[in-house]
Amino acid sequence: MAVSKQTVMAIKSYQNQAENLVKNHLLSDSVIPYTSIIAGILVCKVIYNLTQLFSALYFKSYAGLNRVQRIEWNNRGISTVHALFIAAMSLYFVFWSDLYADFQTNGFVTFRSSTLSTFTLGVSVGYFIADLAMIMWLYPSLGGIEYVIHHSLSGIAVAYAMFSGEGQLYTFMVLISEVTTPEINMRWFLDTAGLKRSHAYLINGIVIFFAWLVARILLFVYMFYHVYLHYHQVIQMHVFGFFLVFVVPAVLAAMNLMWFGKILRGLKKTLAKRQ
């Protein structure tokens, strides 16, 4: 019994030490940005490996892909999981959380943040770093210069909001647009699997059109309107943060409009072939 009690006490001691390590170091306010970035990169690696394993077991077309196509297939698995995560969290912070609500009196909305919001942005920064590294490694197989610009601007803006705590609300508004990524990836998966003429491909194309219209066009209009209403708070931000609030969304909005034109032309072409 004495040995058993000592063992239990030793286990509890190690448990307390582990909890203190996580609470006071890994999840402390000063360290959490770095912890979340590392966590985001590691999760990307895990998802890459799981996508590779799952696809090899359950998708016959995966075996017929060449090396670059398999890497892109796995990479799109990462971007799909990230998109689902960050879109869900962004929707929560923007529309359901009280953190950025106007009725809150704890300072300007442009300077509000929390441990959860900072950690969430850090995971996204980790994803942008990992994905941009893969794009540059296989450039231009995984995406051209427009993807490099998109990921660079997004990564810088998200990292600034995470480290400074400024403009996190507008960062989450922009990140809601990631809700279109799973549909874009599904389009590529169906095309690569030889299902371009399937009903699923057509339905997915229609979903892309409406999701893109709402999340990457109308939502950006709402964001700029929100900035206009809260301009007296936005102008209090650091000059670099002020620059990011206006320039990065404007550039991304222009790219979204360009891609939306391509989506519209592609959908018209697909419908014409169906007819």
Side-chain angles (χ1 to χ4, degrees):
M1 289 296 294
V3 175
S4 178
K5 289 182 179 179
Q6 291 178 355
T7 303
V8 172
M9 292 179 64
I11 293 174
K12 288 184 177 180
S13 176
Y14 285 123
Q15 182 180 358
N16 292 333
Q17 292 179 21
E19 290 177 352
N20 290 331
L21 175 65
V22 172
K23 182 178 180 180
N24 299 326
H25 297 282
L26 296 181
L27 295 181
S28 65
D29 291 339
S30 59
V31 180
I32 198 169
Y34 307 100
T35 304
S36 57
I37 291 174
I38 295 173
I41 295 174
L42 292 177
V43 169
C44 286
K45 174 59 176 174
V46 172
I47 296 172
Y48 183 95
N49 291 340
L50 289 176
T51 303
Q52 185 178 35
L53 177 63
F54 182 83
S55 301
L57 291 175
Y58 296 102
F59 292 95
K60 296 180 179 180
S61 57
Y62 185 81
L65 302 179
N66 58 43
R67 173 178 170 273
V68 175
Q69 287 178 321
R70 288 187 183 184
I71 292 175
E72 182 169 2
W73 181 293
N74 302 335
N75 177 264
R76 288 180 181 272
I78 298 173
S79 65
T80 298
V81 174
H82 167 262
L84 293 173
F85 165 76
I86 199 62
M89 294 302 296
S90 298
L91 285 168
Y92 164 74
F93 280 116
V94 173
F95 296 109
W96 288 290
S97 174
D98 293 336
L99 179 61
Y100 306 110
D102 286 334
F103 63 79
Q104 294 289 349
T105 58
N106 54 337
F108 288 165
V109 68
T110 50
F111 294 99
R112 295 180 199 167
S113 63
S114 67
T115 301
L116 180 59
S117 67
T118 299
F119 184 86
T120 300
L121 293 177
V123 172
S124 192
V125 172
Y127 160 75
F128 281 119
I129 291 174
D131 201 41
L132 184 59
M134 292 190 69
I135 290 174
M136 297 302 295
W137 175 42
L138 294 173
Y139 187 84
S141 299
L142 298 183
I145 188 63
E146 68 274 12
Y147 284 90
V148 175
I149 295 174
H150 174 273
H151 277 46
S152 298
L153 290 176
S154 299
I156 292 171
V158 175
Y160 178 83
M162 176 194 60
F163 282 112
S164 68
E166 291 187 1
Q168 288 195 1
L169 171 61
Y170 299 123
T171 303
F172 283 121
M173 284 186 181
V174 173
L175 286 173
I176 291 175
S177 63
E178 286 294 308
V179 74
T180 61
T181 298
E183 294 87 353
I184 295 295
N185 287 340
M186 180 58 67
R187 178 182 182 275
W188 185 90
F189 286 135
L190 292 171
D191 188 11
T192 304
L195 299 174
K196 195 171 183 177
R197 296 183 177 275
S198 65
H199 291 292
Y201 188 89
L202 176 61
I203 295 172
N204 185 71
I206 296 173
V207 172
I208 289 175
F209 173 81
F210 287 105
W212 199 280
L213 177 63
V214 174
R216 291 186 180 262
I217 306 297
L218 299 180
L219 184 63
F220 274 69
V221 174
Y222 170 75
M223 193 214 76
F224 285 119
Y225 179 67
H226 193 283
V227 170
Y228 169 75
L229 294 179
H230 298 79
Y231 183 75
H232 64 287
Q233 299 183 28
V234 176
I235 201 172
Q236 301 297 323
M237 297 173 62
H238 186 276
V239 62
F240 187 66
F242 182 84
F243 173 83
L244 290 177
V245 166
F246 284 94
V247 174
V248 172
V251 173
L252 294 179
M255 297 176 70
N256 288 338
L257 285 172
M258 177 189 70
W259 284 325
F260 186 66
K262 293 183 178 180
I263 292 170
L264 183 58
R265 289 192 295 271
L267 182 60
K268 287 182 178 179
K269 186 177 180 180
T270 301
L271 291 175
K273 288 182 177 180
R274 291 281 176 172
Q275 293 175 353

